């Protein structure tokens, strides 16, 4: 009784603090609310929060998991975050599955107070991409599941141009992930390598099938099949072709030119003239808004209440360029044509597989594409062997029961995982300091330790600092992963409690064995990142010493220029001395 009263007083106090600090900005208010209540609200076992492409979609593997759980765990409450502009569509999707009256499914507005409350209290948080880039910090009692959104043909992470800035949020999201659901070992290896998971990731990568592909085996109901598109997508004696081009850019620049859209339209118009054929168009979500506004595409658009893989289950032929949809479509045993309207795709983004190795013909010519469609059987047999090899490599686990296996897996207790090496994080501000211009030290440390770096985004936007940083980062990127401090709310009185939350926000909750700070000046950025480590090796600075004492560190070693501080005095004394020698500090 007394404990409950005390907890209620704490909640009331945090609510008061939030109201005092709140601003005239929805996202900032959400973050303030989340941070103020982070350490106080209890996690509830029967609540699941779904964030599917930042609240813009209700589709993919998370939605398949939701539908399975409705039958297997009927007491669960399923909270789906939605943008205001997509809520009406989500209601239609639920109606399509006859779920609109289910009291255990709740839609909440993105950045709303209810969204933040659920994000703090849900036992399971499930996404298919990145999530709440400036807010979410997984709590220890929560289980964070990331299903991603397909097998990569396009290059990912540090393998693609602009990978450092394009990957920072993916990396910190993956580091928080308890269960990373991968469709095949090929995908798992790419994520391990190109998002630098090995050496720091302690979650579990599961290879037990892709929930979203269950429908490709089990198919949809006749009711759903008849609502795919303006006409019946599986009409008798009429073959259905889906044209699904992808997007070639990185996450730092999302554009779609009118010229590109004109090319798409030209292809659709040509195919529509074929006999006994209906063509449907599935653009990448980044293009959707612009295409929705273009009335010329209306005859080819799909009913957006039908999920992508539900559509694939009713398609006879798939035309795509580099979309990961083709991997899923292999389950159907139906033909695939690879058609590319882009000029310099390899230079802009790059691909993991050569077009000559794909399980279907490749062309850049729309007239040749039409000829391929006119006589599919003439070439499909030629690719039969390659097609089967691709099936075995990429979708052999998809038997229609992946949702069941995944829900059982994520409901189990995750075994603790020990890292193979000590972990070191280096303050990236130091790259602007002449005392740390020699990047050989990072390369040297990487031979014995897992090395990460952390930089402040505000600094990187500065032309002079940004140039120096990226000049040096290219030299160490092959042996280090980079975290970005995107924190744009400068607390006037940053508390140690908030520093620990913001620190986890940057590194995906990872705590490093050692941090190295060579920079002489003390910064707001350092206040936060110093909360992400057990041991700090740093240049002397009085203000920094005062802050580090507040964080609970004790001075372990000191010479004329450098100090070593620890939160646990028993930590690997011999190793610290070895590192000091390697850094030429003693």
């Amino acid at each position: 009784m007394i404990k409950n009263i005390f907890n209620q007083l704490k909640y009331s106090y945090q609510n008061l603090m939030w109201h005092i600090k709140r601003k005239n900005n929805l996202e900032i208010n959400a973050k303030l609310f989340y941070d103020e209540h982070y350490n106080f609200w209890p996690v509830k076992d029967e609540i699941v929060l779904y964030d599917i492409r930042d609240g813009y979609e209700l589709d993919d593997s998370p939605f398949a998991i939701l539908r399975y759980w409705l039958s297997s765990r009927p007491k669960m409450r399923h909270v789906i975050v939605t943008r205001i502009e997509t809520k009406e569509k989500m209601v239609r999707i639920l109606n399509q599955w006859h779920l609109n009256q289910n009291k255990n499914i709740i839609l909440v507005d993105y950045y709303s107070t209810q969204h933040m409350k659920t994000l703090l209290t849900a036992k399971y948080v499930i996404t298919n991409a990145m999530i709440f880039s400036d807010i979410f910090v997984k709590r220890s009692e929560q289980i964070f599941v990331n299903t991603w959104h397909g097998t990569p043909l396009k290059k990912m992470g540090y393998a693609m141009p602009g990978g450092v800035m394009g990957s920072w949020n993916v990396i910190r999201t993956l580091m928080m992930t308890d269960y990373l659901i991968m469709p095949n070992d090929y995908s798992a290896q790419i994520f391990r390598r190109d998002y630098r998971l090995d050496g720091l990731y302690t979650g579990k990568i599961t290879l037990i099938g892709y929930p979203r592909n269950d429908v490709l085996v089990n198919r949809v109901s006749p009711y759903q099949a008849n609502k795919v598109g303006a006409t019946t997508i599986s009409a008798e004696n009429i073959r259905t072709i889906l044209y699904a081009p992808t997007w070639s850019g990185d996450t730092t620049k999302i554009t779609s030119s009118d010229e590109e859209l004109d090319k798409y339209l030209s292809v659709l118009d040509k195919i529509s003239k074929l006999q006994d054929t209906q063509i449907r168009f599935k653009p990448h979500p980044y293009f959707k808004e612009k295409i929705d506004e273009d009335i010329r595409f209306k005859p080819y658009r799909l009913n957006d209440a039908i999920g992508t893989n539900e559509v694939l289950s009713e398609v006879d032929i798939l035309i795509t360029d580099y979309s990961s949809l083709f991997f899923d479509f292999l389950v159907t045993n139906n033909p695939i044509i690879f058609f590319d309207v882009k000029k310099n795709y390899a230079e802009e983004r790059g691909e993991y597989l050569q077009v000559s190795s794909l399980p279907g013909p490749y062309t850049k010519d729309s007239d040749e594409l039409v000829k391929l469609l006119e006589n599919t059987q003439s070439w499909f047999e030629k690719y039969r062997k390659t097609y089967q090899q691709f099936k075995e490599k990429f979708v052999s686990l998809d038997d229609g029961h992946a949702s069941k296996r995944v829900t059982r897996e994520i409901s189990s207790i995750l075994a603790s995982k020990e890292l193979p090496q000590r972990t070191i994080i280096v303050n990236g501000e130091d790259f602007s300091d002449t005392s740390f211009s020699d990047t050989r030290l990072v390369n040297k440390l990487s031979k014995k330790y897992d090395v990460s770096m952390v930089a402040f985004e505000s600094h990187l936007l500065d032309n002079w600092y940004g140039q120096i940083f990226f000049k040096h980062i290219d030299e160490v990127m092959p042996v280090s992963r980079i975290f970005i401090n995107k924190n744009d709310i400068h607390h006037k009185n940053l508390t140690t409690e908030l520093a620990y939350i913001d620190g986890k926000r940057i590194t995906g909750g990872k705590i490093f064995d050692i941090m190295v700070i060579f920079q002489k000046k003390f910064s707001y950025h350092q206040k936060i990142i110093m909360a992400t480590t057990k041991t700090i090796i740093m240049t002397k600075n009085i203000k920094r010493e005062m802050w580090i004492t507040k964080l609970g560190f004790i001075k372990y070693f000191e010479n004329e220029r450098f100090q070593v501080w620890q939160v646990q005095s028993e930590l690997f004394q011999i190793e610290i001395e070895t590192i000091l020698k390697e850094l030429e500090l003693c």
Side-chain angles (χ1 to χ4, degrees):
M1 181 69 177
I2 295 175
K3 184 178 179 181
N4 289 338
I5 294 173
F6 180 68
N7 285 336
Q8 187 58 51
L9 288 172
K10 286 196 298 183
Y11 303 154
S12 300
Y13 174 75
Q14 296 305 321
N15 273 320
L16 175 63
M17 291 298 98
W18 173 65
H19 282 288
I20 291 172
K21 295 176 182 179
R22 65 184 300 175
K23 312 289 183 184
N24 188 29
N25 181 292
L26 196 63
E27 183 177 358
I28 291 176
N29 284 339
K31 188 173 182 180
L32 286 170
F33 183 93
Y34 185 86
D35 288 354
E36 290 291 342
H37 297 85
Y38 184 80
N39 290 317
F40 300 98
W41 287 33
V43 171
K44 299 178 181 179
D45 289 342
E46 294 300 320
I47 296 181
V48 191
L49 179 72
Y50 300 86
D51 177 277
I52 307 172
R53 205 175 73 79
D54 286 333
Y56 286 105
E57 297 289 343
L58 181 54
D59 194 7
D60 211 334
S61 290
F63 190 39
I65 291 171
L66 183 155
R67 297 194 304 269
Y68 180 80
W69 255 339
L70 284 173
S71 59
S72 64
R73 293 181 65 173
K75 292 184 179 180
M76 267 188 166
R77 292 182 63 203
H78 303 272
V79 181
I80 304 165
V81 293
T82 175
R83 301 284 179 165
I84 293 174
E85 60 267 37
T86 57
K87 182 182 287 187
E88 183 270 336
K89 183 182 82 169
M90 289 194 181
V91 171
R92 286 191 286 111
I93 292 170
L94 292 173
N95 184 59
Q96 183 71 19
W97 288 92
H98 300 296
L99 298 175
N100 53 311
Q101 299 300 318
N102 192 306
K103 295 181 180 180
N104 285 336
I105 298 177
I106 303 166
L107 296 177
V108 297
D109 291 339
Y110 210 86
Y111 291 139
S112 65
T113 299
Q114 188 60 41
H115 176 193
M116 293 300 105
K117 284 183 177 179
T118 311
L119 187 59
L120 286 166
T121 58
K123 177 68 173 181
Y124 299 92
V125 178
I126 301 178
T127 186
N128 68 335
M130 300 165 284
I131 184 170
F132 317 125
S133 57
D134 295 325
I135 297 180
F136 180 57
V137 183
K138 188 187 85 74
R139 301 174 73 184
S140 60
E141 307 97 319
Q142 292 180 308
I143 296 173
F144 183 32
V145 182
N146 195 326
T147 68
W148 201 245
H149 46 272
T151 297
L153 176 57
K154 299 172 290 187
K155 286 192 174 178
M156 311 277 285
Y158 291 165
M160 68 180 183
V164 171
M165 295 305 291
S167 304
W168 73 268
N169 188 40
V170 182
I171 291 175
R172 53 88 56 181
T173 301
L174 293 175
M175 289 300 168
M176 282 190 288
T177 302
D178 293 300
Y179 294 94
L180 179 57
I181 312 301
M182 290 279 98
N184 44 62
D185 188 60
Y186 160 86
S187 300
Q189 294 301 330
I190 286 174
F191 272 71
R192 286 191 181 102
R193 182 187 67 236
D194 293 340
Y195 285 116
R196 305 287 165 80
L197 298 185
D198 286 344
L200 191 60
Y201 179 62
T202 54
K204 183 175 182 179
I205 298 177
T206 64
L207 301 174
I208 51 178
Y210 229 19
R212 75 182 191 185
N213 288 348
D214 286 349
V215 72
L216 296 177
V217 177
N218 303 324
R219 305 292 295 274
V220 295
S221 67
Y223 166 79
Q224 291 170 311
N226 288 337
K227 290 181 73 71
V228 180
T231 60
T232 304
I233 199 164
S234 55
E236 187 177 356
N237 299 321
I238 293 180
R239 64 175 180 171
T240 299
I241 299 172
L242 178 67
Y243 179 32
T246 190
W247 165 69
S248 61
D250 63 59
T251 52
T252 64
K253 49 181 180 182
I254 299 173
T255 60
S256 59
S257 66
D258 291 335
E259 180 184 2
E260 192 169 357
L261 298 189
D262 288 342
K263 288 180 180 178
Y264 292 153
L265 188 67
S266 174
V267 172
L268 291 166
D269 288 342
K270 284 185 178 181
I271 297 173
S272 68
K273 293 179 173 61
L274 292 172
Q275 289 187 343
D276 300 325
T277 297
Q278 63 174 344
I279 177 70
R280 293 289 177 262
F281 185 50
K282 180 74 176 178
H284 191 280
Y286 289 150
F287 293 160
K288 183 180 182 300
E289 183 176 354
K290 195 163 187 178
I291 288 174
D292 283 347
E293 295 170 354
D294 193 328
I295 195 171
R296 298 176 300 169
F297 286 95
K298 187 175 181 180
Y300 307 116
R301 290 308 310 274
L302 287 157
N303 179 345
D304 63 359
I306 307 295
T308 301
N309 285 45
E310 284 72 45
V311 171
L312 290 179
S313 72
E314 298 299 310
V315 165
D316 298 301
I317 302 174
L318 173 66
I319 303 170
T320 186
D321 41 21
Y322 305 95
S323 172
S324 64
L325 288 183
F326 97 80
F327 290 103
D328 293 0
F329 194 66
L330 292 168
V331 176
T332 69
N333 290 310
N334 288 333
I336 305 167
I337 300 174
F338 297 90
F339 173 67
D340 182 11
V341 300
K342 301 175 181 67
K343 292 179 180 178
N344 302 304
Y345 188 92
E347 289 76 15
E348 291 177 6
R349 177 68 180 262
E351 63 274 353
Y352 288 112
L353 302 175
Q354 298 297 313
V355 294
S356 59
S357 70
L358 297 174
Y362 171 87
T363 181
K364 281 180 170 287
D365 184 87
S366 59
D367 291 331
E368 184 180 353
L369 172 65
V370 171
K371 289 180 181 179
L372 289 167
L373 290 169
E374 286 176 334
N375 192 358
T376 306
Q377 291 304 317
S378 66
W379 55 262
F380 188 41
E381 197 61 36
K382 173 185 172 183
Y383 290 93
R384 181 75 65 182
K385 183 177 179 181
T386 304
Y387 200 108
Q388 291 303 314
Q389 289 172 341
F390 265 66
K391 282 195 68 172
E392 291 173 12
K393 183 174 182 179
F394 298 110
V395 295
S396 62
L397 298 170
D398 293 313
D399 58 359
H401 302 288
S403 296
K404 179 179 181 179
R405 290 192 296 271
V406 168
T407 54
R408 286 183 176 180
E409 179 74 14
I410 64 180
S411 299
S412 61
I413 299 174
L414 185 64
S416 59
K417 178 180 177 182
E418 290 188 10
L419 297 174
Q421 297 173 302
R422 292 292 186 187
T423 58
I424 293 180
I425 188 164
V426 179
N427 179 26
E429 291 175 304
D430 296 322
F431 275 157
S432 66
D433 196 317
T434 54
S435 67
F436 196 61
S437 61
D438 187 351
T439 54
R440 288 178 299 175
L441 289 173
V442 173
N443 286 280
K444 188 176 182 180
L445 287 173
S446 68
K447 293 177 181 177
K448 293 184 179 180
Y449 309 95
D450 179 85
V451 181
S452 300
M453 304 198 63
V454 56
F456 196 19
E457 186 185 52
S458 296
H459 292 166
L460 301 186
L461 299 178
D462 177 83
N463 186 53
W464 173 81
Y465 181 86
Q467 286 182 353
I468 293 175
F469 176 85
F470 286 108
K471 174 186 174 182
H472 289 303
I473 211 66
D474 286 342
E475 299 176 47
V476 299
M477 197 173 72
V479 296
S480 172
R481 73 182 64 77
I482 292 87
F483 292 100
I484 303 296
N485 179 1
K486 195 177 167 62
N487 209 330
D488 57 357
I489 300 177
H490 285 234
H491 300 280
K492 291 182 179 179
N493 298 304
L494 181 68
T495 64
T496 56
E497 185 178 73
L498 287 174
Y500 280 114
I501 296 172
D502 281 339
K504 291 179 181 178
R505 185 168 279 134
I506 296 165
T507 66
K510 297 305 174 186
I511 301 297
F512 297 85
D513 293 318
I514 301 166
M515 177 174 290
V516 180
I517 303 177
F518 278 6
Q519 190 178 28
K520 294 178 182 179
K521 293 182 180 179
F522 183 41
S523 66
Y524 171 81
H525 165 69
Q526 292 171 36
K527 275 191 169 185
I528 297 172
I529 65 170
M530 290 165 78
T532 66
T533 185
K534 303 173 185 175
T535 301
I536 299 177
I537 300 172
M538 69 182 197
T539 304
K540 286 184 178 180
N541 180 292
I542 297 297
K543 290 183 178 179
R544 193 153 50 211
E545 290 181 35
M546 293 172 62
W547 175 252
I548 202 172
T549 301
K550 288 183 179 180
L551 291 175
F553 284 78
I554 300 171
K555 191 187 299 182
Y556 166 77
F557 171 86
E558 181 176 24
N559 61 21
E560 292 182 359
R561 291 178 56 205
F562 295 95
Q563 297 174 336
V564 177
W565 294 71
Q566 293 187 338
V567 288
Q568 297 178 28
S569 58
E570 70 273 12
L571 283 178
F572 44 99
Q573 176 177 343
I574 296 176
E575 290 180 271
I576 289 293
E577 292 173 353
T578 301
I579 293 173
L580 290 173
K581 289 178 182 178
E582 290 172 342
L583 294 175
E584 301 173 4
L585 303 183
C586 67

